Amino acid sequence: MNPITWFHEDRKRARTERDPCAELCALATVNADGAPEIRTLVLRDLEDPANPTEGTRLAVFINDSSPKWSAMARVSALAYFPVLKVQYRLSCATAPVPGALVHGRWQDRPEAPKRMDWYYARRPQSSPVASRSQLIEEVGELNLPQPLVAPPSARGLYLLPFAIERLDLNQPDGIHDRRRWHRPDTGWRETVLVP
């Protein structure tokens, strides 16, 4: 089976079972000093207008004021669905999501994240602030554009997996099912691994 198809099917099952992690991934990068960094992001399903035959693709939205922006050319993502006891590790290249698609989907965000996206123009993501109360006050005082639109710093990246590993901990015999796929040229090649 194509591992991307398998991932989407597992994620659909996780959503059906109301898995709290079904919409998330842990994204790992390497910073400018060579140190690994990991953060939790919302994992999005998007269409790629430039490649309609690709179907649904995985993507993350970020703000280009974030220090992680410069480290996003190659990433690793981990998705774990606790209700299924299934883990995916994806090694990915990235490609930009078209701005129009990012800005259209941005409208679906809750109000607080929208305000934060505009706040990043004032104080870049990860910059220090004197206190949480100062942060809350400054975010509350923002003059937002009307109509409310995404700031120019709102970005999205497609995750383009070139290697995928699936670990299924829910086996009746107690021996985990671990498989790895890689795509050297065309098509996926599967290898069963010792768990």
Side-chain angles (χ1 to χ4, degrees), residues 25 27 41-44 58-62 72 155-157 159:
C25 72
L27 198 73
L41 295 174
V42 174
L43 185 60
R44 302 175 186 280
L58 301 173
V60 292
F61 286 0
I62 60 175
M72 298 288 286
R155 303 292 178 99
L157 291 171
L159 302 182

Side-chain angles (χ1 to χ4, degrees), residues 39-171:
R39 73 230 358 114
T40 302
L41 295 174
V42 174
L43 185 60
R44 302 175 186 280
D45 298 322
L46 297 179
E47 300 300 320
D48 183 353
N51 298 298
T53 58
E54 289 285 328
T56 301
R57 299 174 85 182
L58 301 173
V60 292
F61 286 0
I62 60 175
N63 192 287
D64 70 11
S65 75
S66 170
K68 67 182 167 271
W69 175 249
S70 62
M72 298 288 286
R74 190 167 171 163
V75 300
S76 291
L78 180 115
Y80 180 62
F81 309 129
V83 297
L84 305 180
K85 297 183 182 174
V86 171
Q87 170 188 280
Y88 281 88
R89 292 191 309 172
L90 301 93
S91 299
C92 306
T94 62
V97 173
L101 184 53
V102 172
H103 289 223
R105 292 288 296 266
W106 186 88
Q107 295 298 332
D108 297 333
R109 290 170 64 83
E111 183 179 341
K114 286 180 180 177
R115 294 186 77 79
M116 287 304 300
D117 279 345
W118 277 101
Y119 181 73
Y120 297 144
R122 185 177 192 178
R123 286 188 190 263
Q125 202 168 10
S126 300
S127 64
V129 64
S131 66
R132 178 159 172 80
S133 59
Q134 179 185 344
L135 170 68
I136 301 300
E137 182 180 329
E138 289 179 358
V139 170
E141 292 172 348
L142 283 175
N143 290 319
L144 299 175
Q146 295 301 324
L148 186 57
V149 295
S153 57
R155 303 292 178 99
L157 291 171
Y158 288 116
L159 302 182
L160 310 172
F162 54 83
I164 297 175
E165 191 172 300
R166 182 181 188 273
L167 178 65
D168 187 342
L169 305 173
N170 194 21
Q171 296 298 307

